[in-house]
Amino acid sequence: MKVIDSTAGLQQHRSLISSRVGFVPTMGNLHLGHISLLDRALKENDDVYFSIFVNPTQFGPGEDFSKYPRTLQDDLKLIEKKASEYPGKGVIVFAPKSPEEIYPSTGIKTVTVPDLKHILEGEFRPTHFDGVTTVVYRLFDLVRPLRSYFGLKDYQQYVIIKQMVQQEKLAVEIIGMPIIREADGLAMSSRNQYLTPDQRRASLILYQSLSTVLKLLNHDLGNLPKARALMKELENDPNWNYLELRDSETLSEDVSRSKQVTILGVYQFGSTRLLDNMQMEIK
Ligand code: PAF
């Protein structure tokens, strides 16, 4: 495993590599979800770049940028352990030493995916997705991967990145990886550690509500009125930021012709917003 902390160092390293390159962008504070992305990337590519960068531009005012957990040394140990299962494959960690490595004063293209950035998460975090698409575009430009791996926990982010790749005509395949859950169903997330013990116990509401709605839908749009009625009832609890059923590909509210739907929910525990989602095929 090699660790690089400058853009110049990354570019120099990348210029020497011509093999199949996979890329896993992260903000660090790694858990098993991130490691599952690395595992798949190592299976499918010769060399894997893994970035760790807490991207300031995707945090809004008053959000958790300054308190976002930065645990580089622990992260490196986890990456090294996974990498050791794949001798012969190259693992290059890119952990920029300062934001200026990513955002020099000139020459950075701001990338935006206009149609999807204001809905769902975008209603609560209006500048978030511009920050995400801009940094991912910048990282793709530096790493030039054949494939890049994203967790489906941030489902809207995954759809937006896929749309960005089409819009900007980038030659990278976007691979979405299943959510990794705790034993009781809570989706793994770096933000789970913000929960108090009481909030952690209460957090099951997210997994259970999503599961119950999908069980009622049971792969059949004929059950949609019942499922929507249940969602409306659940949303009487003001701690839901949203609970929505959308087309999995377009995130459209109109699911009448959908082959697959996604239920997306965000529940607020104090100042911590937890996201979850589940997919269901329609027969
Ligand atoms: O999902 C994340 O961790 C971040 O949004 C990403 C894709 C690394 C961009 O900063």
Side-chain angles (χ1 to χ4, degrees):
M1 179 177 88
K2 187 173 172 60
V3 183
I4 296 177
D5 70 359
S6 70
T7 297
L10 176 67
Q11 284 170 317
Q12 211 251 336
H13 188 277
R14 180 65 185 91
S15 69
L16 302 174
I17 296 221
S18 59
S19 60
R20 291 177 306 165
V21 163
F23 177 44
V24 182
T26 78
M27 298 207 298
N29 195 238
L30 305 183
H31 50 67
L32 290 178
H34 299 108
I35 298 304
S36 74
L37 308 184
L38 176 59
D39 187 68
R40 172 94 181 257
L42 281 163
K43 280 198 174 83
E44 295 183 345
N45 303 278
D46 302 318
D47 291 281
V48 175
Y49 288 84
F50 190 106
S51 66
I52 297 179
F53 176 60
V54 184
N55 173 36
T57 66
Q58 70 189 74
F59 291 80
E63 290 185 359
D64 56 343
F65 174 66
S66 54
K67 78 163 182 176
Y68 198 86
R70 288 148 170 94
T71 50
L72 183 60
Q73 291 316 315
D74 291 344
D75 293 350
L76 293 177
K77 281 186 203 136
L78 287 176
I79 297 170
E80 177 104 68
K81 187 160 175 276
K82 178 51 70 184
S84 70
E85 295 171 21
Y86 294 86
K89 302 255 172 153
V91 176
I92 306 96
V93 180
F94 175 48
K97 57 181 179 292
S98 72
E100 288 72 38
E101 295 294 327
I102 299 293
Y103 300 112
S105 50
T106 55
I108 292 304
K109 172 166 162 169
T110 301
V111 181
T112 185
V113 173
D115 292 348
L116 298 177
K117 71 176 185 178
H118 293 306
I119 62 169
L120 300 166
E121 274 305 275
E123 280 190 35
F124 293 83
R125 308 182 73 191
T127 55
H128 173 65
F129 287 116
D130 279 353
V132 170
T133 44
T134 298
V135 79
V136 171
Y137 182 88
R138 167 82 171 131
L139 290 165
F140 281 177
D141 193 40
L142 293 169
V143 175
R144 287 178 283 117
L146 184 63
R147 304 185 184 92
S148 186
Y149 300 82
F150 292 82
L152 291 182
K153 188 182 72 66
D154 297 302
Y155 192 77
Q156 186 178 2
Q157 167 175 282
Y158 162 73
V159 175
I160 286 181
I161 299 283
K162 281 209 305 190
Q163 192 146 323
M164 177 192 84
V165 163
Q166 276 187 0
Q167 177 186 300
E168 302 296 322
K169 302 186 173 45
L170 303 179
V172 51
E173 183 185 356
I174 302 302
I175 293 157
M177 292 290 291
I179 296 176
I180 306 290
R181 297 182 180 278
E182 303 288 354
D184 63 1
L186 178 67
M188 286 194 187
S189 162
S190 303
R191 290 186 166 109
N192 291 352
Q193 61 199 279
Y194 299 155
L195 300 175
T196 64
D198 278 351
Q199 289 171 337
R200 174 64 187 84
R201 275 188 289 278
S203 67
L204 255 194
I205 188 168
L206 197 51
Y207 177 73
Q208 282 173 347
S209 303
L210 268 54
S211 310
T212 311
V213 173
L214 283 194
K215 208 166 156 203
L216 201 57
L217 186 64
N218 194 22
H219 306 278
D220 180 355
L221 288 179
N223 296 324
L224 198 55
K226 274 193 284 180
R228 287 217 195 277
L230 174 61
M231 284 161 65
K232 209 162 165 218
E233 198 183 310
L234 288 167
E235 273 198 296
N236 284 331
D237 174 347
N239 294 310
W240 285 101
N241 284 178
Y242 56 84
L243 179 62
E244 302 246 1
L245 198 72
R246 299 279 175 133
D247 179 83
S248 294
E249 225 179 281
T250 61
L251 295 181
S252 162
E253 276 176 294
D254 177 5
V255 296
S256 54
R257 288 164 191 212
S258 297
K259 295 194 171 60
Q260 194 195 59
V261 292
T262 296
I263 179 165
L264 303 103
V266 174
Y267 195 94
Q268 183 113 25
F269 297 91
S271 58
T272 307
R273 303 173 67 248
L274 291 190
L275 288 73
D276 201 350
N277 69 81
M278 292 177 190
Q279 281 72 47
M280 180 171 267
E281 306 299 327
I282 300 298
K283 290 184 187 142

